[in-house]
Amino acid sequence: MRGPRIAARCVHCGLDAGPAPLVSDSAQVFCCSGCQAVFTLLASAGLGAFYETGGLGSLAPRTGRIPRTDAAA
């Protein structure tokens, strides 16, 4: 019998990693290979501080109304 699934959050975007998350060698959890690739790219470029400015998992898509930026002034 399986116990309740503990929700894991993606290290990159913060979304629920789902029932079969990707787990790196260093035990970091990702929801998809795209998030894993971007995380790896940022880390390899020495841009790990990117996550410090907004905190890990702060990249979840916005919901609600997003203002237009192409409107005439």
Side-chain angles (χ1 to χ4, degrees), residues 15-50:
L15 295 176
D16 183 352
L22 299 172
V23 181
S24 70
D25 293 337
S26 56
Q28 293 164 316
V29 176
F30 300 94
C31 64
C32 67
S33 59
C35 282
Q36 186 176 26
V38 171
F39 185 90
T40 301
L41 179 71
L42 290 172
S44 67
L47 299 172
F50 170 80

